[in-house]
Structures are given as C-alpha cells and as structure tokens.
Amino acid sequence: MIKFLDLQKINAQYTIELQNAFSRVLNSGWYIQGEEVFQFEQKFAHYCGTKHCIGVANGLDALILIIRAYKELGVMTDGDEIIVPANTYIASILAISANGLIPVLVEPDLSSYNIDPSLIEKKITPKTRAIMAVHLYGNMADMLSINSIASKYNLKVIEDAAQAHGAEIGGKKAGSWSSASGFSFYPGKNLGALGDGGAVTTDDDELNSVIRSLGNYGSHQKYHNDFQGINSRLDELQAALLSVKLKFLDQEIAARRNVANQYLMRINNPEIILPKLDKDEHHVWHLFVVRVNERLNFQRYLSTNKIQTVVHYPIPPHKQKAYSSLNTLNLPITEKIHQQVVSLPISPVLTNEEVDTIIDIVNKYEG
C-alpha cells in the first residue's frame, strides 16, 4: 500500500537530530516556556518575516487567541462578524464562534479553492470587523485583493496559515500578510511536531503582548493575572523538535512541489479535475486535491490498487450538526467541492516509483 502520508518515514530522516533535541530538553530539567520555545519563536518569526511569533498549544488556539486578544483590546466585541471562506476546515469557524462572534461564510473560487475576493464586499456590514483568509491545502489566498478590501473598509485581516508554512507571494511568506496569523504544527502538517502545537505570528507589539498573556493564564508575571486567560503554551519538547524540522522545511517543500508538478504534467484522465497552479511559490502542496464525480468509486478503485487516499473534507461546515443554524445556507460551490474532492498521496518521501505508480493507476481509472 502506498500510504497517503508516511510520518514515520518523514521523521526517520532526522532521527539523530530529533533524538539529540529530546535529550537536550530531558537533561535541561526545564519543560515549559524555556529556552527551546524562545529559540523556536525567534527562528519561525524570522522564517515568516514577522516581528513576533508566540508558541501556543495548537492551531485552533492560535486563531482563538488572536480574536480573543482583539476583544480584550476593544477592537471586536460579541456579535461582531468575521468573513471566512465557506469551504474551510471547521477550526477556522470554531475560532470565531468560540469568541462570541459571527462567522459570515463566503464562497470560494472554484479554481483556487480559496475565498473569492469578488464576493467579499457584498458580505460586509457595519458589524464586520475582519476577514479571515485561509490558505487552503497550502495554496496562498489572494492576499493583495483581500488586503485592499480590508484597507478600504478598515478591517483586520487574519490569516489561517495552518496548511501553508513557507508559501509566499512575491517573496513575502504566509503569516506576514495580515494583522496576525495562526499556524498549526499538527504532525501531518508540512512543518509538523511530534504532537500538537501551534503559533501566532504578528508585527503588532500590543497584540503580541496580549496574546502571550492570554495563553499563559492571562499572566505576564507569575500569580499576577491581567486577563481571564487560558493555558495554551507550546511545550519545550515540541519547540526543540520543530527547530530541527524547520531547518529542512524548504527542502521538503521542494520535494512536494516536484511530486505535484509530476501529477500536474502527467495525469491526463478526463475524469479527474486537477488543481490549478498560479505560481509555484504560492503553493506548498500540503495536500494535492483532485475532484472527481464518483468519489467513492474512485477511492475504492485506488484502494484496490493499493493507493491510500483521504477526503479533505467530506462535510462542509455549514452542513455540520454543530452549526445547525447555518444548515439552510445555499452555498453550491462549497457543496460541490466537498462532494467531489479527494486527496492523493503527496509527501517529501514518496519515491519516483511510487509517483509513477500513482499516475499510471489514476490515468487508467474509467469512472
């Protein structure tokens, strides 16, 4: 079976360095908010091109804390609205509603799967406070257009960059295009920890200060609590492991792009709708997502031929039980995407033989 994502094989490349990092943390006797977190925050901020990076427990917390900080600063309040793509992973929307704000869903552009900027303005109301741009599947959203709209209406821009570590537009990386950005280091991400982890990047000094406090029980100084905060901190161990993997991120992105380009050039089955690529640097191919009408048949066919696939994501957020109040929304493009998408294997450790096999099998699919 060709695995969808072989995490064991990916991490095995760095066994010695990861073991050394583990030993360093173990022997330090300091496991929370120490030098490893500080060093990783500095390195990742530099990588993204931002002034600040705040390590947090996971990607969802990163987004929740950004919005919560804006509430503490008086920029947002309960009942305000944040525009968000309708076809995102539910975490983007959970972060909004968890803060008592209202998610306003906007259809994506079918060619990029990212929010369609041409549809944003008609969704702006006096209660709109921000646009959340999600770089879905590792493909950068149209940040030039989104930032232009935000500037026109005096809105904040928040990036959900959970799938886009290293993607860039014109040399400017994901995480540096907005007021603040949330990243996930879930193990399957392009920059993945060996457990949960996340981060916020920002150039805003005040926002940085508030988010750091909120994620540490609302405290900058032990036993002095300025806010009713939560416990959301990146562990020393995960930070040390991430520092190792960050060194190889660009190398792994290049390998992913090589696989994706092989798929794009050589898959020629008319039953398969391939993703469209704007510019190579815009996409880091966290996922290679195709569309097919008879998805279940296609997946069964690939499974029979020992190729593992995953669906990202089978049910759109507005059709989830958790958001029953949104169930009646008419979002045909989003629904079409969620009915048709299938993710093919893509990773930096796929062999040329495996890539050839996948392409051959996909091209022989008859629907």
Side-chain angles (χ1 to χ4, degrees):
M1 177 69 76
I2 299 175
K3 292 183 178 181
F4 173 72
L5 183 65
D6 193 337
L7 288 178
Q8 184 178 18
K9 190 174 181 181
I10 290 172
N11 290 322
Q13 302 172 103
Y14 318 121
T15 296
I16 294 174
E17 289 198 61
L18 292 171
Q19 288 176 339
N20 288 341
F22 176 83
S23 296
R24 189 170 66 246
V25 175
L26 177 65
N27 294 330
S28 74
W30 193 289
Y31 307 121
I32 298 288
Q33 291 191 312
E35 185 64 20
E36 297 291 348
V37 169
F38 175 78
Q39 289 295 331
F40 174 72
E41 288 177 339
Q42 298 287 78
K43 292 171 186 174
F44 194 64
H46 177 74
Y47 180 82
C48 293
T50 59
K51 190 173 182 180
H52 304 289
C53 169
I54 308 107
V56 298
N58 54 69
L60 174 57
D61 279 4
L63 295 174
I64 287 174
L65 286 166
I66 291 168
I67 300 170
R68 172 71 187 283
Y70 277 130
K71 289 182 71 178
E72 295 290 352
L73 291 168
V75 176
M76 300 176 187
T77 192
D78 288 358
D80 282 345
E81 298 171 352
I82 295 180
I83 288 171
V84 63
N87 64 313
T88 185
Y89 180 56
I90 200 168
S92 312
I93 296 169
L94 288 171
I96 298 168
S97 57
N99 277 290
L101 276 71
I102 298 169
V104 177
L105 308 187
V106 173
E107 289 266 61
D109 179 331
L110 193 55
S111 64
S112 70
Y113 303 121
N114 285 323
I115 194 168
D116 187 340
S118 71
L119 302 178
I120 291 175
E121 285 194 76
K122 64 185 68 174
K123 294 288 189 176
I124 294 174
T125 75
K127 284 185 167 292
T128 307
R129 295 293 175 266
I131 302 168
M132 184 179 289
V134 181
H135 308 313
L136 199 63
Y137 309 145
N139 187 27
M140 287 281 288
D142 183 353
M143 296 308 298
L144 293 169
S145 297
I146 291 168
N147 280 335
S148 176
I149 295 167
S151 178
K152 179 179 177 181
Y153 291 94
N154 194 30
L155 304 176
K156 297 295 184 184
V157 176
I158 300 168
E159 287 173 86
D160 180 344
Q163 302 182 2
H165 320 69
E168 59 184 58
I169 299 173
K172 187 176 174 67
K173 281 191 168 64
S176 67
W177 279 90
S178 56
S179 313
S181 177
F183 284 90
S184 167
F185 303 126
Y186 181 78
K189 295 295 193 288
N190 289 20
L191 180 60
L194 273 66
D196 259 324
V200 175
T201 56
T202 184
D203 288 326
D204 187 324
D205 294 342
E206 189 175 28
L207 192 68
N208 166 67
S209 177
V210 174
I211 290 172
R212 285 191 182 281
S213 177
L214 285 171
N216 186 39
Y217 298 96
S219 172
H220 282 299
Q221 181 181 352
K222 196 167 185 179
Y223 305 129
H224 293 257
N225 303 85
D226 301 316
F227 307 102
Q228 296 178 21
I230 62 172
N231 175 11
S232 182
R233 304 176 296 205
L234 183 65
D235 288 345
E236 280 286 282
L237 177 58
Q238 298 303 339
L241 301 175
L242 285 165
S243 287
V244 170
K245 297 188 71 178
L246 180 59
K247 294 188 295 184
F248 302 99
L249 178 56
D250 287 344
Q251 174 184 311
E252 291 201 358
I253 289 171
R256 286 174 175 273
R257 285 177 175 154
N258 179 60
V259 174
N261 287 330
Q262 289 296 312
Y263 286 163
L264 291 170
M265 289 187 297
R266 296 169 55 200
I267 293 176
N268 53 26
N269 189 329
E271 298 287 333
I272 310 302
I273 301 171
L274 295 170
K276 290 183 173 62
L277 180 61
D278 184 10
K279 291 186 178 179
D280 200 45
E281 67 268 22
H282 292 189
H283 211 318
V284 291
W285 300 106
H286 171 59
L287 299 170
F288 190 94
V289 178
V290 302
R291 297 197 343 260
V292 60
N293 284 324
E294 300 295 334
R295 179 170 63 199
L296 185 57
N297 287 344
F298 181 59
Q299 284 194 284
R300 285 172 175 164
Y301 165 79
L302 291 180
S303 180
T304 298
N305 284 279
K306 297 182 168 45
I307 298 171
Q308 187 180 46
T309 60
V310 179
V311 175
H312 298 90
Y313 305 95
I315 306 171
H318 74 284
K319 292 297 183 182
Q320 298 283 359
K321 183 178 178 181
Y323 286 100
S324 57
S325 62
L326 303 177
N327 287 173
T328 58
L329 287 179
N330 181 32
L331 298 165
I333 297 174
T334 292
E335 289 166 24
K336 180 177 184 177
I337 288 170
H338 285 261
Q339 289 164 4
Q340 295 181 335
V341 291
V342 181
S343 300
L344 298 181
I346 188 163
S347 85
V349 294
L350 275 179
T351 66
N352 291 332
E353 182 181 12
E354 288 172 328
V355 172
D356 290 343
T357 298
I358 293 165
I359 292 169
D360 181 58
I361 297 298
V362 168
N363 281 335
K364 289 178 180 176
Y365 174 68
E366 295 181 352

